[in-house]
Amino acid sequence: MIRNGMPLAQLNTPALLIDLKRVEANLARGITVANAAGVALRPHTKTHKSPYFARRQLMAGAHGLTVAKVSEAEVFAEAGFDDLFIANTIYGAEKARRVRRLAERVSLAVGVDHIEQVRAFSHAMERAGAPLAVMIEVDTGARRGGVDPQEAAALAGAVAGLPGLAVKGVYTYEGYTYSAPDRAALVATERQAQAVLIAAGQAVGEAAGVVPVISAGSTPGLLSGAGYLPGITEIRPGTYIFLDAAQADLAGGLEHCAATVLATVVSRPRPDRAILDAGSKALTSDVRAGGVCKTTGHGLLPDFGLVIARLSEEHGVIEGPGVERLAVGQKVRVVPNHICPVVNLFNEMVLIRDGLVVDVLPVAARGRLQ
Amino acid sequence: MIRNGMPLAQLNTPALLIDLKRVEANLARGITVANAAGVALRPHTKTHKSPYFARRQLMAGAHGLTVAKVSEAEVFAEAGFDDLFIANTIYGAEKARRVRRLAERVSLAVGVDHIEQVRAFSHAMERAGAPLAVMIEVDTGARRGGVDPQEAAALAGAVAGLPGLAVKGVYTYEGYTYSAPDRAALVATERQAQAVLIAAGQAVGEAAGVVPVISAGSTPGLLSGAGYLPGITEIRPGTYIFLDAAQADLAGGLEHCAATVLATVVSRPRPDRAILDAGSKALTSDVRAGGVCKTTGHGLLPDFGLVIARLSEEHGVIEGPGVERLAVGQKVRVVPNHICPVVNLFNEMVLIRDGLVVDVLPVAARGRLQ
């Protein structure tokens, strides 16, 4: 049983710990950067999947929320959040019907990058009371979804020409900046992506006869110091609330990482090897092998200067110099490489402050895949 | 709403589908190999995390179940299974108390590879009605947990000398056979691991004065054709029930894979690119880049001869020749690289037979990390 005021050493492991002081500092940094640039902050909830942290984000100055799935939007709408953007292309009659029901309850926008999605949404919104807000996804270099920038206006025109829909603006995911080789290259890449997005957004605004929302923003962009070009009106960072090993350098060090996995040294089978009870089912297999957000191994132990060398499903293996400081039964804190999918593995988060437990929260939107 | 008899094309996506005919064939193969070698089959439930499939395994001839965590053991004990082996080293007073409570309800064995774990279990079992069965983990080459083979007898002697414990035997995880370069090397590696385990087991039996259980067995070992050397008494394969892209070649082809992720083509942003609504939060980032269980990319689409080239959290990206056959809205089946952590991402499994839905099951032990 977890109790208020419990020291971390008494927690069962593996456990996902969230340091509230660090969260507060990270939220403050996010809104400071957004305000300095005059852009609205619409954080991506994929990182925490929790109404509690969404509320903290709004209270810290955010304007609305971003989600990735219809089911995530439903969780946050149910929890009382009334301004949601599903920043992901979706397709299917059942999902379109759920989008319509959500749009009747909250201010909702959806992303599109293909005429078939547009037609499906228009069909679902037939004779709706108000049109569904549509954001055109623009590919500024991520090579996943998004129209080519020069095709955004044509798709916006198609949206504007169909019943039940209203063009709201454009968005991009410029997360490929992760792999820029250094901070200068990251800044240059981020600015290039913003410039392309702004041009596409202006064309979309003209094509649809609206003042467009122009929405960029990944956490590397937020932390890079690139700032936001005039024309960007909104940003959607996700990881900035917790940070992780991959983004720690950009953020100024591991001491900014708010999320750690508490693990126990369950064995020392050899003098030069320690085994943690956190494997890939607690830390994921995500690696960041290159670029400015590079990290090594499968998780860092900043208190010991150690790195998890290998993972299997239930084992984290640490080897080499420094391992002698880890004894069986010892509890250690691991900074994961990539926090978003890690949160998605845990049913609950243990909130801590000054090294003591203050609360336990469900990861409410965990596993919301549809 | 999922209904009995529903065609797959009507399912919402992403969904985890389990083909029962293939499961039945895989279970039959598992027990056939075990019976031919005269070894008991104690399947690892980490793959399916479900009492339903555990029951199917027992009905197909398995002798008991393997689990990785105390919390998983609790799920299966609660579901009525009375012969469980926690094949993983665990440490902590709270877990030791739960192990004692489990041992009072069911036939339970635990794995150890360090004297500190042994002392903790002995302490927890003080004045218990019956001793806790202990299996010594032997490292036959996996380089994670397990004592060196020549140290197994000494640890068994320590177990035998402490109250509340009874030596049951030895076990190994020889999953490193995955990375053998070809099937001949896999067979040789598997046999070598078995020989080392048998020798350690015989020494343990002598040290503790018992006829030892000698427990080996990963799915590559089961599928390799290596068989089991005289002296091996038990095997613990997990993946064999569902199989996956990495093990399909060993099993005789992708048509043996019982678990697939149904995904929708949500976009075709360019002529040479398709986007699926299954990313790393549905398929994991697990890769198998080398060895006899090598696969490429992040999931296979056998119906199209296509491979997922890249994943982000919510996107599966397919590129290149053949993509023109994928249209927006089309549903496709993906064979994951590694099925065990994929099952652990889904809240439920859709059971299918002859291409129609027959049932939906919760992944009961999903996310049981402690």
Side-chain angles (χ1 to χ4, degrees):
Chain A
M1 193 64 181
I2 299 179
R3 288 193 185 79
N4 204 289
M6 188 180 262
L8 303 188
Q10 290 179 22
L11 287 170
N12 205 342
T13 62
L16 176 61
L17 310 183
I18 309 294
D19 185 313
L20 291 177
K21 273 194 179 169
R22 292 184 180 185
V23 165
E24 287 155 8
N26 292 341
L27 293 181
R29 184 202 298 221
I31 197 66
T32 300
V33 173
N35 286 345
V39 299
L41 176 61
R42 182 184 288 277
H44 205 310
T45 57
K46 74 188 177 86
T47 306
H48 54 71
K49 289 182 168 257
S50 145
Y52 172 83
F53 285 113
R55 203 169 299 116
R56 300 293 304 252
Q57 288 174 314
L58 292 188
M59 290 178 68
H63 278 66
L65 300 178
T66 306
V67 299
K69 296 282 183 168
V70 181
S71 50
E72 293 177 5
E74 289 165 344
V75 168
F76 287 98
E78 194 59 38
F81 297 91
D82 61 2
D83 186 357
L84 305 174
F85 170 33
I86 305 176
N88 203 5
T89 54
I90 53 186
Y91 191 87
E94 192 265 2
K95 282 183 182 137
R97 284 193 296 272
R98 286 157 62 200
V99 162
R100 176 178 174 144
R101 284 196 294 272
L102 276 167
E104 288 164 353
R105 297 169 59 189
V106 302
S107 170
L108 183 74
V110 296
V112 302
D113 68 353
H114 195 283
I115 187 66
E116 293 297 333
Q117 303 146 2
V118 174
R119 290 192 185 119
F121 282 129
S122 175
H123 181 70
M125 296 303 292
E126 252 178 34
R127 287 184 290 276
L132 176 66
V134 173
M135 297 278 286
I136 311 289
E137 184 178 4
V138 177
D139 183 2
T140 56
R143 298 189 306 129
R144 54 184 211 192
V147 296
D148 280 347
Q150 64 275 19
E151 294 170 9
L155 188 58
V159 172
L162 283 171
L165 306 179
V167 174
K168 183 175 180 184
V170 294
Y171 74 107
T172 196
Y173 170 72
E174 80 276 27
Y176 57 92
T177 57
Y178 278 63
S179 54
D182 54 36
R183 189 184 288 251
L186 167 58
V187 167
T189 311
E190 172 71 29
R191 288 191 179 144
Q192 172 65 17
Q194 291 178 24
V196 169
L197 182 70
I198 290 165
Q202 288 166 342
V204 160
E206 283 166 29
V210 298
V211 178
V213 170
I214 300 182
S215 178
S218 61
T219 295
L222 182 82
L223 299 174
S224 68
Y228 295 98
L229 299 178
I232 299 292
T233 70
E234 178 183 278
I235 59 171
R236 308 180 321 282
T239 311
Y240 83 107
I241 184 171
F242 292 160
L243 296 173
D244 53 29
Q247 304 212 30
D249 273 358
L250 268 185
L254 286 165
E255 64 273 24
H256 297 279
C257 296
T260 51
V261 170
L262 186 73
T264 299
V265 179
V266 289
S267 186
R268 295 281 281 101
R270 300 166 58 101
D272 63 348
R273 189 187 302 155
I275 308 291
L276 302 183
D277 61 354
S280 67
K281 280 179 174 169
L283 294 167
T284 79
S285 297
D286 276 33
V287 290
R288 298 280 191 207
V292 67
C293 291
K294 177 178 178 172
T295 183
T296 54
H298 293 276
L300 305 178
L301 283 67
D303 299 336
F304 299 89
L306 291 168
V307 177
I308 297 178
R310 301 190 297 278
L311 293 178
S312 47
E313 285 169 55
E314 304 289 2
H315 298 72
V317 180
I318 306 172
E319 283 184 336
V323 164
E324 64 281 358
R325 297 166 60 201
L326 300 180
V328 170
Q330 196 164 353
K331 289 180 182 172
V332 299
R333 291 174 68 178
V334 180
V335 181
N337 283 351
H338 182 196
I339 192 58
C340 309
V342 170
V343 172
N344 189 48
L345 290 172
F346 282 82
N347 291 332
E348 58 188 29
M349 298 179 269
V350 179
L351 309 190
I352 64 172
R353 188 182 290 279
D354 300 325
L356 297 177
V357 173
V358 295
D359 209 346
V360 181
L361 282 185
V363 183
R366 196 219 70 73
R368 294 295 179 126
L369 282 156
Q370 302 177 335
Chain B
M1 194 64 181
I2 300 179
R3 288 193 185 79
N4 203 292
M6 189 181 260
L8 303 189
Q10 291 178 21
L11 288 171
N12 205 343
T13 62
L16 176 61
L17 310 183
I18 309 293
D19 184 314
L20 291 177
K21 272 195 179 168
R22 292 184 180 185
V23 165
E24 288 155 8
N26 292 341
L27 292 181
R29 186 203 298 220
I31 196 66
T32 300
V33 173
N35 286 345
V39 299
L41 176 62
R42 181 185 288 277
H44 204 310
T45 57
K46 73 188 178 83
T47 306
H48 55 71
K49 288 181 168 259
S50 147
Y52 172 83
F53 285 113
R55 201 169 300 117
R56 299 295 302 254
Q57 289 174 314
L58 293 190
M59 290 177 69
H63 277 65
L65 300 178
T66 306
V67 299
K69 295 283 182 168
V70 181
S71 50
E72 293 177 4
E74 289 165 343
V75 168
F76 287 99
E78 193 60 38
F81 297 92
D82 60 2
D83 185 356
L84 305 174
F85 171 33
I86 305 176
N88 203 5
T89 54
I90 53 184
Y91 191 87
E94 191 265 3
K95 282 184 183 136
R97 284 193 295 273
R98 286 157 62 200
V99 162
R100 177 179 173 142
R101 284 198 294 271
L102 277 167
E104 288 164 352
R105 296 170 61 188
V106 303
S107 170
L108 183 73
V110 296
V112 302
D113 68 352
H114 196 282
I115 186 66
E116 293 297 334
Q117 303 147 2
V118 173
R119 290 192 184 118
F121 282 129
S122 176
H123 181 71
M125 295 303 291
E126 253 177 32
R127 287 183 290 277
L132 176 65
V134 173
M135 297 279 286
I136 311 289
E137 184 178 4
V138 177
D139 183 1
T140 55
R143 299 188 304 130
R144 55 183 211 192
V147 295
D148 280 347
Q150 64 275 19
E151 293 170 10
L155 189 59
V159 171
L162 283 172
L165 307 179
V167 174
K168 183 174 180 184
V170 294
Y171 74 108
T172 195
Y173 171 71
E174 80 276 27
Y176 56 94
T177 56
Y178 278 61
S179 54
D182 55 37
R183 189 184 288 252
L186 168 58
V187 167
T189 312
E190 172 72 28
R191 288 192 177 144
Q192 171 65 16
Q194 291 178 23
V196 169
L197 181 70
I198 290 165
Q202 288 166 343
V204 160
E206 283 165 27
V210 298
V211 177
V213 170
I214 300 182
S215 178
S218 62
T219 295
L222 182 83
L223 299 174
S224 68
Y228 295 98
L229 299 178
I232 298 292
T233 69
E234 178 183 280
I235 60 171
R236 308 180 322 282
T239 310
Y240 82 106
I241 185 171
F242 292 161
L243 297 173
D244 53 29
Q247 304 211 31
D249 272 0
L250 267 185
L254 286 164
E255 65 272 24
H256 297 278
C257 295
T260 51
V261 171
L262 186 73
T264 298
V265 179
V266 289
S267 186
R268 293 279 282 101
R270 299 167 58 102
D272 61 349
R273 188 186 302 153
I275 307 291
L276 302 183
D277 61 355
S280 66
K281 281 178 174 169
L283 294 167
T284 79
S285 297
D286 276 33
V287 290
R288 297 279 191 209
V292 66
C293 291
K294 177 178 179 173
T295 182
T296 55
H298 293 276
L300 305 179
L301 282 68
D303 299 336
F304 298 89
L306 291 168
V307 177
I308 297 177
R310 300 189 298 279
L311 294 178
S312 47
E313 286 170 54
E314 305 289 2
H315 298 73
V317 180
I318 305 171
E319 283 184 337
V323 164
E324 65 280 358
R325 296 166 62 201
L326 300 180
V328 170
Q330 196 165 352
K331 290 179 183 171
V332 299
R333 292 174 69 177
V334 180
V335 180
N337 284 350
H338 183 196
I339 192 59
C340 308
V342 170
V343 172
N344 189 49
L345 289 172
F346 282 82
N347 291 332
E348 58 188 29
M349 298 180 267
V350 179
L351 309 190
I352 65 173
R353 188 183 289 278
D354 300 326
L356 297 177
V357 172
V358 295
D359 209 346
V360 181
L361 282 186
V363 183
R366 196 218 70 75
R368 294 294 178 126
L369 283 155
Q370 301 177 337

